[in-house]
Amino acid sequence: FAALASCAEKKFAVTKIEGKEIPITDKNAESADIENFIKPYRENIDKDLSMVLANAPETIDKSGEWQTPMGNFLSDITFEKSAKIFELRTQKKLDICLLNHGGIRTIIPKGNVTARNAYEIMPFENSAVVVGLKGEQVIEMIVYLIAEKKPHPLHGLTFTITKDNQPKEIQIQGNPLDMEKVYYVVTSDYLVGGGDNMLFFKKGVEKYDLDYKLRNIIIDYFKENKTITAGNDTRIRKE
C-alpha cells in the first residue's frame, strides 16, 4: 500500500527545452528547402491578391472632419451587404451602420482595385455583428460621436450638432428617432465588445453574428461593382 501511495504522489515537470532556429533567409540547405516548399503557395496567393477586381476613378481617402469619403464608402457597403443577410435570416430591417475610423488602415488609390487593397484597408479578422439598441443607446452613440470628434464611418443615422455641442434633427433612415423603438445597428465584433470605448453596444438587447468578415464584404463588393466610388452626402452637420 505504501509503495502504491508513493507512486501516486510522483509529479513530473519540464526541466529543459531545446530548440533550433532555422533562418529562412540564410543560404543553407534547410532554409532552401523551406523556401522551395512555400514558393508555390506564395506565388499563388500573390496572383490572387493582384487580380484586378474593379477600378476607382478617383482616390477615396480618409480626409474630413466629421465624415470621410473612405468612411462613407465602408459604412455604405457594410450596410448594403449586411442588410440582405440580416433580413434573410431574421425578417428584420437593418437601420444603421457604425464602424471605427481607426480600423481603416489605408485609402483606395485611383486606378485598378485588387483584393490586396481590401487586405490593406482591413487587415484584421473582424466580423459583422448586428446589435439591437434602444433609443437611449442611440442617443449615447450620438453623444459619443460628438465627444470623440472623429469621422467614424456612419450610415443610416444623420443629425446636426448645435453650437453648444448638442444633437438635434436626429433621423434614422430619414425618420425622426423613436425612443421606444429597437434599432438594428451593424458594426464589428471588436466594437460590440466595447472596443474604442463604444460601451453603448454592450447594452444591446439583441445580438446577431452574421459570420461575415468585414474584409470579405469589401472584396465581394469589389467583385460585384466594377466602378468604385464613395457617397458624398452629409451625415453629421455642425451649426
Side-chain angles (χ1 to χ4, degrees):
F1 178 78
L4 290 173
S6 176
C7 291
E9 293 173 359
K10 188 176 291 185
K11 296 181 180 180
F12 297 92
V14 177
T15 59
K16 186 177 181 181
I17 298 176
E18 292 184 340
K20 181 180 180 182
E21 183 178 346
I22 305 175
I24 62 173
T25 54
D26 289 354
K27 294 182 178 180
N28 57 53
E30 290 175 315
S31 62
D33 288 343
I34 294 173
E35 173 61 26
N36 290 334
F37 178 78
I38 65 174
K39 183 179 179 181
Y41 296 96
R42 180 192 296 119
E43 290 177 347
N44 191 53
I45 291 172
D46 185 66
K47 180 181 178 181
D48 288 342
L49 293 179
S50 300
M51 184 179 298
V52 176
L53 303 178
N55 182 272
E58 301 293 338
T59 296
I60 301 176
D61 61 28
K62 295 173 60 178
S63 62
E65 182 180 6
W66 292 102
Q67 56 199 19
T68 70
M70 196 67 195
N72 285 0
F73 172 75
L74 287 180
S75 61
D76 288 351
I77 69 169
T78 301
F79 183 93
E80 177 185 322
K81 303 294 286 184
S82 299
K84 295 175 183 177
I85 297 173
F86 182 61
E87 185 172 1
L88 183 64
R89 294 181 184 174
T90 67
Q91 289 72 56
K92 297 177 181 180
K93 297 284 188 180
L94 200 59
D95 298 294
I96 300 169
C97 175
L98 175 64
L99 303 173
N100 60 322
H101 179 67
I104 308 172
R105 288 320 208 196
T106 189
I107 65 173
I108 298 177
K110 179 179 179 180
N112 289 334
V113 178
T114 66
R116 179 174 280 105
N117 292 118
Y119 276 85
E120 291 170 347
I121 294 164
M122 193 68 62
F124 315 107
E125 296 300 312
N126 294 125
S127 296
V129 177
V130 175
V131 181
L133 297 181
K134 293 182 178 179
E136 59 190 282
Q137 276 76 61
V138 175
I139 293 293
E140 287 183 42
M141 179 195 298
I142 295 169
V143 170
Y144 169 89
L145 292 172
I146 294 173
E148 276 279 290
K149 296 181 180 179
K150 292 180 181 179
H152 293 300
L154 183 66
H155 176 99
L157 169 65
T158 62
F159 60 92
T160 298
I161 305 171
T162 64
K163 293 180 181 179
D164 57 349
N165 280 332
Q166 297 300 312
K168 71 173 188 178
E169 300 171 351
I170 301 169
Q171 291 195 329
I172 298 174
Q173 294 296 329
N175 298 310
L177 172 65
D178 182 350
M179 295 298 291
E180 302 301 319
K181 183 178 177 180
V182 172
Y183 291 97
Y184 295 100
V185 185
V186 63
T187 185
S188 73
D189 52 355
Y190 167 70
L191 299 178
V192 167
D196 277 14
N197 288 318
M198 295 193 186
L199 302 179
F200 45 85
F201 280 127
K202 300 185 78 171
K203 301 177 183 179
V205 295
E206 298 176 48
K207 185 169 73 172
Y208 305 86
D209 189 341
L210 301 185
D211 193 27
Y212 198 179
K213 301 288 187 188
L214 296 182
R215 181 174 56 242
N216 289 344
I217 287 176
I218 300 172
I219 292 173
D220 288 347
Y221 188 86
F222 286 167
K223 289 178 178 179
E224 296 167 8
N225 298 269
K226 298 308 178 184
T227 302
I228 306 302
T229 58
N232 59 5
D233 54 305
T234 302
R235 299 162 195 207
I236 301 177
R237 301 174 179 81
K238 197 170 192 314
E239 288 185 336

